[in-house]
């Protein structure tokens, strides 16, 4: 009489876990498609309305794109006290290379997908479980909202997605260095972070992430490993302060020094609330639609998906 070998509970558990991870991955991809597809149907918005005609502007003026970048960079330095040569090279350069609207929109979507993929790899590099990493990517995805006029996804020549990618790659390589002690990993991490610092001032405080990575992977005593990144941030911050003290900035510039802590706290609170799905309808509903309830009648169906994802994420994390 033949007997069947007993099933291994461990194999069944691993198989179930793989199925849950696979299903979650497909759900994240579906949510990504639903939330980012509308990008393909938008025109040039924000600063892109001007930057997208860079080839025509330079041809009409008989100048090169490089000269335009240098001229605008010098103007920004003298009027606003900002070093934005690298950012402006992308601002105008991207439309010199990709002048087609549809191709540019496809590039926008591709970069957001790249950001999400790199975020997942970074989370895995600091030893976050696969399923938890996928849920965290979904949570981040739900905070991406399409807002007119100045929108980080729809405008600014892909500045924010590129800057985010540089920072994420820096975090990823720093975690790899802590795991393998390979010097080329931390060297490239430093190069990418310095490039991100040249891009935009919002990268200045992100050296704290390197500190947190070191603490998570090696304990509190390892925070000194991230010292070079803290020094880079401090140097850029100090340089910005000195420049704006020395340069005679334009009276109407929005980049004058402001050291009032209450302004920073108020701005932080606004930015945190702004990341909550549908927060713009709660804030501007009566003004735009006549009532908060009518605002949801006008909202596309896919804007309600983030709320469902946020709820299911809380249930999925224990898995």
């Amino acid at each position: 009489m033949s007997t069947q070998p007993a099933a291994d509970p461990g194999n069944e558990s691993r198989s179930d876990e793989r199925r849950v991870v696979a299903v979650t991955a497909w759900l994240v991809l579906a949510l990504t498609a639903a939330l980012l597809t509308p990008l393909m149907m938008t025109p040039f918005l924000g600063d892109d309305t001007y930057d997208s005609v860079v080839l025509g502007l330079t041809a009409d003026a008989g100048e090169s794109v490089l000269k335009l970048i240098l001229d605008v960079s010098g103007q920004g330095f003298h009027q606003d006290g900002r070093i934005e040569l690298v950012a402006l090279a992308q601002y105008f350069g991207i439309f010199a290379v990709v002048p087609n609207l549809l191709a540019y929109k496809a590039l926008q979507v591709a970069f957001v997908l790249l950001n999400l993929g790199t975020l997942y790899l970074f989370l895995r590099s600091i030893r976050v479980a696969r399923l938890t990493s996928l849920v965290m990517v979904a949570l981040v995805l739900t905070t991406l909202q399409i807002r007119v006029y100045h929108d980080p996804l729809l405008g600014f020549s892909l500045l924010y997605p590129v800057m985010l990618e540089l920072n994420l790659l820096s975090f990823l390589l720093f975690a790899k260095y802590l795991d393998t002690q390979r010097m080329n990993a931390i060297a490239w991490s430093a190069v990418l972070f310095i490039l991100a610092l040249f891009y935009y001032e919002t990268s200045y405080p992100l050296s704290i992430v390197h500190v947190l990575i070191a603490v998570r992977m090696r304990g509190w005593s390892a925070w000194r490993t991230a010292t070079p990144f803290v020094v880079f941030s401090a140097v850029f911050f100090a340089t910005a302060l000195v420049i704006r003290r020395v340069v005679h900035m334009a009276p109407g510039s929005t980049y004058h020094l402001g050291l009032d802590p209450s302004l920073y706290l108020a701005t932080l609170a606004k930015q945190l609330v702004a990341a909550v799905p549908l927060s713009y309808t709660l804030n501007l509903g009566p003004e735009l639609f006549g009532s908060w309830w009518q605002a949801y009648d006008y909202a596309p169906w896919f804007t309600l998906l983030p709320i469902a994802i946020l709820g299911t994420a809380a249930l999925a994390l224990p898995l």
Side-chain angles (χ1 to χ4, degrees):
M1 182 176 182
S2 62
T3 59
Q4 293 287 341
D8 185 355
N11 288 335
E12 290 184 2
S13 177
R14 286 190 293 271
S15 178
D16 289 342
E17 181 181 353
R18 285 194 292 268
R19 279 196 291 268
V20 171
V21 170
V23 170
T24 305
W26 279 109
L27 288 175
V28 172
L29 287 174
L31 179 63
T32 302
L35 293 178
L36 297 183
T37 298
L39 278 174
M40 300 298 296
M41 298 176 284
T42 59
F44 291 121
L45 295 169
D47 289 5
D48 291 353
T49 55
Y50 171 80
D51 299 337
S52 61
V53 295
V54 59
L55 292 179
L57 287 174
T58 52
D60 184 63
E63 299 176 348
S64 65
V65 175
L66 177 60
K67 185 177 185 306
L68 176 64
I69 293 171
L70 295 174
D71 288 345
V72 176
S73 176
Q75 183 181 356
F77 180 83
H78 291 293
Q79 291 187 357
D80 298 323
R82 304 182 70 200
I83 303 175
E84 48 184 353
L85 180 60
V86 176
L88 287 172
Q90 179 180 315
Y91 254 48
F92 296 111
I94 191 171
F95 290 110
V97 177
V98 188
N100 179 268
L101 173 62
L102 186 59
Y104 175 60
K105 294 300 173 180
L107 190 60
Q108 286 179 317
V109 173
F111 247 98
V112 174
L113 293 174
L114 181 62
N115 291 159
L116 295 172
T118 307
L119 173 62
Y120 175 81
L121 293 176
F122 163 61
L123 291 172
R124 295 290 295 133
S125 73
I126 59 173
R127 302 163 190 167
V128 177
R130 287 187 178 87
L131 184 59
T132 305
S133 298
L134 284 170
V135 171
M136 293 177 72
V137 169
L139 290 174
V140 170
L141 180 61
T142 62
T143 67
L144 300 180
Q145 300 185 56
I146 300 172
R147 301 176 182 228
V148 179
Y149 172 73
H150 293 293
D151 186 275
L153 297 181
L154 297 180
F156 300 109
S157 307
L158 281 175
L159 176 69
Y160 282 96
V162 171
M163 183 182 64
L164 176 59
E165 187 65 22
L166 291 172
N167 280 294
L168 286 173
L169 287 173
S170 177
F171 303 153
L172 175 62
L173 288 169
F174 182 60
K176 183 177 181 180
Y177 163 75
L178 292 172
D179 199 35
T180 64
Q181 294 297 300
R182 294 177 60 180
M183 293 303 297
N184 62 338
I186 194 172
W188 278 110
S189 176
V191 169
L192 291 169
F193 186 60
I194 291 173
L195 189 57
L197 292 171
F198 270 112
Y199 255 80
Y200 209 62
E201 293 90 340
T202 49
S203 291
Y204 292 0
L206 296 184
S207 57
I208 188 63
V209 178
H210 294 90
V211 176
L212 295 175
I213 293 171
V215 170
R216 173 180 173 82
M217 298 187 69
R218 292 291 185 86
W220 285 102
S221 60
W223 69 267
R224 294 181 182 85
T225 312
T227 299
F229 299 93
V230 177
V231 171
F232 297 150
S233 292
V235 168
F236 271 81
F237 182 74
T239 302
L241 291 179
V242 170
I243 290 175
R244 294 178 192 185
R245 289 282 189 186
V246 175
V247 173
H248 297 289
M249 297 171 61
S253 174
T254 57
Y255 296 98
H256 285 282
L257 289 176
L259 301 179
D260 183 358
S262 64
L263 293 177
Y264 288 92
L265 292 175
T267 302
L268 177 61
K270 292 176 182 177
Q271 290 176 337
L272 289 175
V273 173
V276 176
L278 292 177
S279 62
Y280 65 98
T281 59
L282 294 175
N283 185 40
L284 298 175
E287 179 181 339
L288 294 177
F289 304 101
S291 71
W292 283 298
W293 183 254
Q294 288 178 338
Y296 290 94
D297 292 335
Y298 285 91
W301 65 269
F302 54 79
T303 60
L304 299 177
L305 285 177
I307 296 177
I309 288 293
L310 287 172
T312 55
L315 298 176
L317 280 174
L319 297 175

